[in-house]
Amino acid sequence: MSATSVREAALAAPPPPGGRRRRYRAPDAAGPATYVLLAVTAVLFVVPFYYMIVAASRPMAEMNTSPPPFLPGPYLWQNITTALNQQAIGLSIVNSLVVSGITTAGTLLFCTLAGFAFAKLRFRGKKALFAITIGTLMIPPSLGVVPLYKLMSDWHLAGRLESVILPSLVSAFGVFFMRQYLVQTLPDELLEAAKVDGASSTRTVVSIVLPIARPGMAVLGMLTFMTSWNDFFWPVITLNSTTPTVQVALNNLGSGYVPDTSIIMAGTLVGTLPVIVVFLLLGRQIVGGIIAGAVKG
Amino acid sequence: MSTPSTTAPPAPAGPRATPAPHLSLRSRLFRLEGVSAPYAYVAPFFLLFLAFGLFPLVYTMWISFHRYELGSQPEWTGLDNYTWLFSNPKFYNALLKTITIGVLSTVPQLLLAIGLAHLLNYRMRARNLFRVSMIMPYATSVAASTLVFAQIFGRDGGLANWLLSLVGLGGLDWRNGDLSAQIAIAVIVTWRWTGYNALIYLAGMQSISADLYEAAALDGANRWQQFLHVTLPGLRPTILFTVVVSTIGATQLFGEPLLFGGVNGGALNQYQTLGLFMYQQGWVFGSLGRAATVAWVTFLLIVVLVLVNTGLARWRDRDTEGARR
């Protein structure tokens, strides 16, 4: 199910305007220079990943020679084991899965509901409330960390995963994204029909809105998961080495007393692998989602 | 496929016994549900935003007027923190470094992104492969990318220095230099965000009407002229959006310098950004009141920068409209 619904997401996610116009620009076919430039850029974007693997699979001494090694060495597994022992990277992956999983679930539920209300329902103050939602995008998340930290310590949540989960259960971007998606894909007639049939609002959401929203939710889910997995600032502040997320563990690994770059790279590789795997499988959908969620002229 | 209906609460369940008023009560409840439902749907967002977004924002200002160490009670000190901040050379240093690293990363990033988006907009084979490769860095965490680049920018045996040695340049001590460290950090930021911005621009480009290109082509405009006179003006709102977002991002820079060389931002604070400075005050020195002051001043800085950016865009808009007339 997931594979097909995700593919549907890819097809449905970018809003219609693309197709018709792109055909118009058909004479705009890429020349060889375009391919070369894009290929060079692609290589530049991917090289650091490759280098991560090279560094993670060699002893540190070899990384400090000049010229540096260009091919992977045989020590990958050994370095990974050392990294896993040095910092609780295994635990941190579990923690990150918990945090990202719950955050994603909450974001999907709350943002879909709010997005649906803003897209299709009529209520007083809707315009103002939506404007506020968009306005909150402007507030940098790290601004309120001092009181947030105080709040979390008052609630005895500092250092616990809840302190990372709670503030990120919704996102203004998610509300905006789901609204855009539902405005495009949810036919008004369907809602009218449900109303005529006497379906309650909740009933309508469960049996009409959620199934239709599913492809958009898949894209938003992937984006949210990635963002949450990669979040750095707030987790580093509120969490400590007893309950680290992956990023906190990597930070600790990087700031050790004797930083062994090979071990650091091995840990980094392990901590990045889940996202890379998600990306290799679903990259097209994620790209489609970013394009769909972008601000248009 | 569809969600199990058991999760749907039996919404308009009026009392079943009385038949005559039953209907009206039922329908009244039904109406009430219909009227209140939208608010229930948007409530979680606003409640969570109030608790973890707006309240901390306002509270930050209040804390900035206090001497406040964690575990102790806040003690009102008026503007003391602000006097301390504005007479502190380290603050001006952090402000300056934030601006230089911000410019060094934002400007190349957005210029590259717009060029890449233009290329990605051509019809070509393997388009999706290229698009996905653009966005791979964005999928990487700050921690992972900084740690890899720290290796690349290593003094001995780093990839960057080896490349430089090929062109006959001596090995740079990237981390301990001043400008070199800032450039290294800017490279990390640029690497992570260029592809993402390219996709945003691509989305904007695809929403520009094809008629405009057709008209330009009929007028004899070549591709470059079309780019200048159709694409760029059409992208203006998108460009403004990315400029604002990148500006905010640049003022928030934290993870990259922290992982590149610790909380001091280098031995001489060569790359101590405002974010690092705040973190140092609050969580290394334990002075949350001062940290709040730094946060609040940073916020004001962002507001000013955003206003300047949008103002410039408006002014340019009026300028070009005037020129057309």
Side-chain angles (χ1 to χ4, degrees):
Chain A
M1 181 217 90
S2 65
T4 46
S5 69
V6 164
R7 195 162 302 136
E8 283 161 22
L11 295 174
R20 183 168 49 89
R21 281 158 192 162
R22 211 175 300 143
R23 209 182 313 139
Y24 220 119
R25 266 187 241 165
D28 249 11
T34 303
Y35 283 105
V36 172
L37 282 174
L38 283 179
V40 169
T41 323
V43 168
L44 282 178
F45 281 172
V46 175
V47 154
F49 291 101
Y50 174 73
Y51 206 61
M52 193 193 290
I53 297 171
V54 172
S57 58
R58 286 173 174 275
M60 180 178 151
E62 286 181 25
M63 291 312 295
N64 287 339
T65 54
S66 185
F70 298 107
L71 294 173
Y75 291 96
L76 181 64
W77 192 243
Q78 195 187 322
N79 285 340
I80 287 181
T81 333
T82 316
L84 289 180
N85 289 333
Q86 225 175 60
Q87 282 291 331
I89 294 209
L91 169 73
S92 77
I93 288 183
V94 175
N95 283 343
S96 277
L97 282 174
V98 169
V99 168
S100 304
I102 297 179
T103 302
T104 305
T107 305
L108 284 184
L109 176 67
F110 294 141
C111 291
T112 307
L113 287 179
F116 164 59
F118 282 130
K120 296 288 172 180
L121 300 181
R122 261 182 286 171
F123 56 100
R124 272 168 156 268
K126 172 169 146 176
K127 271 191 178 168
L129 288 178
F130 189 63
I132 294 173
T133 309
I134 298 303
T136 63
L137 280 170
M138 289 281 161
I139 300 175
S142 57
L143 181 75
V145 286
V146 175
L148 210 52
Y149 188 75
K150 183 185 185 318
L151 210 66
M152 291 303 170
S153 15
D154 287 352
W155 292 349
H156 302 291
L157 291 179
R160 297 173 54 112
L161 295 181
E162 289 93 322
S163 64
V164 178
I165 294 172
L166 276 176
S168 44
L169 279 177
V170 288
S171 75
F173 168 77
V175 175
F176 175 70
F177 182 88
M178 287 316 295
R179 179 193 172 269
Q180 298 300 89
Y181 185 81
L182 287 172
V183 162
Q184 306 262 355
T185 50
L186 184 61
D188 289 329
E189 293 80 5
L190 219 52
L191 297 174
E192 292 295 325
K195 209 177 208 173
V196 171
D197 286 351
S200 71
S201 183
T202 322
R203 184 61 204 253
T204 313
V205 166
V206 170
S207 32
I208 294 179
V209 179
L210 288 185
I212 286 184
R214 194 171 288 159
M217 289 167 79
V219 172
L220 178 63
M222 288 182 290
L223 288 174
T224 311
F225 190 89
M226 270 172 31
T227 313
S228 174
W229 185 275
N230 288 333
D231 196 12
F232 187 78
F233 190 77
W234 175 237
V236 162
I237 286 180
T238 182
L239 297 179
N240 47 49
S241 51
T242 53
T243 53
T245 58
V246 169
Q247 311 309 328
V248 178
L250 289 181
N251 178 39
N252 294 340
L253 207 57
S255 58
Y257 289 108
V258 192
D260 180 327
T261 42
S262 297
I263 308 297
I264 293 176
M265 284 300 106
T268 311
L269 184 64
V270 174
T272 312
L273 220 51
V275 180
I276 295 184
V277 169
V278 168
F279 217 84
L280 290 180
L281 294 175
L282 307 167
R284 278 180 60 177
Q285 283 74 29
I286 297 174
V287 167
I290 289 170
I291 294 185
V295 173
K296 299 209 168 181
Chain B
M1 267 304 275
S2 76
T3 333
S5 53
T6 43
T7 52
R16 304 245 155 135
T18 47
H22 159 96
L23 238 162
S24 74
L25 181 63
R26 222 185 117 104
S27 61
R28 223 180 294 160
L29 274 174
F30 187 79
R31 267 194 61 128
L32 187 70
E33 202 253 9
V35 171
S36 58
Y39 297 103
Y41 295 157
V42 299
F45 172 78
F46 284 99
L47 288 178
L48 284 162
F49 170 68
L50 280 180
F52 302 115
L54 193 63
F55 166 71
L57 187 77
V58 177
Y59 201 46
T60 301
M61 182 152 95
W62 187 82
I63 289 184
S64 75
F65 294 123
H66 289 74
R67 181 193 170 82
Y68 174 44
E69 266 125 52
L70 203 73
S72 71
Q73 284 304 308
E75 178 194 329
W76 177 268
T77 54
L79 288 173
D80 274 11
N81 285 331
Y82 289 87
T83 342
W84 163 81
L85 187 72
F86 287 116
S87 59
N88 189 338
K90 299 241 164 173
F91 163 70
Y92 292 101
N93 175 66
L95 184 64
L96 181 70
K97 302 306 179 188
T98 305
I99 292 172
T100 50
I101 299 177
V103 171
L104 282 174
S105 56
T106 310
V107 174
Q109 183 193 119
L110 295 183
L111 288 178
L112 284 173
I114 215 164
L116 280 175
H118 185 67
L119 296 181
L120 287 170
N121 206 15
Y122 283 131
R123 274 166 61 94
M124 70 179 94
R125 279 163 204 277
R127 192 171 59 184
N128 279 314
L129 183 76
F130 283 128
R131 287 184 179 178
V132 171
S133 70
M134 294 297 131
I135 199 72
M136 279 294 276
Y138 169 74
T140 327
S141 67
V142 171
S145 56
T146 309
L147 291 172
V148 177
F149 274 93
Q151 171 68 41
I152 290 176
F153 285 115
R155 193 188 55 192
D156 311 308
L159 208 54
N161 272 347
W162 177 76
L163 284 174
L164 281 181
S165 72
L166 288 186
V167 264
L169 287 170
L172 267 174
D173 191 354
W174 291 93
R175 203 185 297 232
N176 291 320
D178 187 350
L179 189 63
S180 60
Q182 295 181 44
I183 291 176
I185 291 169
V187 166
I188 305 173
V189 179
T190 307
W191 180 77
R192 273 194 80 215
W193 290 98
T194 300
Y196 174 83
N197 283 308
L199 289 187
I200 306 261
Y201 286 142
L202 180 63
M205 285 179 185
Q206 294 192 343
S207 70
I208 297 173
S209 163
D211 304 346
L212 290 174
Y213 286 98
E214 201 193 11
L218 283 176
D219 286 349
N222 62 29
R223 276 186 183 178
W224 173 243
Q225 287 166 330
Q226 287 181 26
F227 177 75
L228 274 189
H229 299 293
V230 180
T231 310
L232 281 187
L235 271 187
R236 186 165 291 164
T238 319
I239 293 175
L240 184 63
F241 170 80
T242 55
V243 167
V244 168
V245 169
S246 320
T247 308
I248 295 178
T251 49
Q252 304 284 299
L253 210 60
F254 170 74
E256 290 89 347
L258 176 72
L259 278 149
F260 198 65
V263 95
N264 295 323
L268 300 168
N269 312 118
Q270 310 97 297
Y271 42 94
Q272 185 174 50
T273 57
L274 286 171
L276 265 190
F277 185 58
M278 181 192 94
Y279 179 73
Q280 188 188 33
Q281 292 303 326
W283 284 270
V284 180
F285 299 159
S287 175
L288 289 173
R290 287 178 173 179
T293 312
V294 179
W296 191 251
V297 170
T298 309
F299 178 61
L300 291 182
L301 181 76
I302 291 172
V303 171
V304 169
L305 284 174
V306 167
L307 286 179
V308 166
N309 280 330
T310 44
L312 273 180
R314 290 247 169 79
W315 176 70
R316 278 210 50 186
D317 264 354
R318 214 186 312 146
D319 206 38
T320 42
E321 263 165 45
R324 253 178 232 145
R325 250 174 240 143

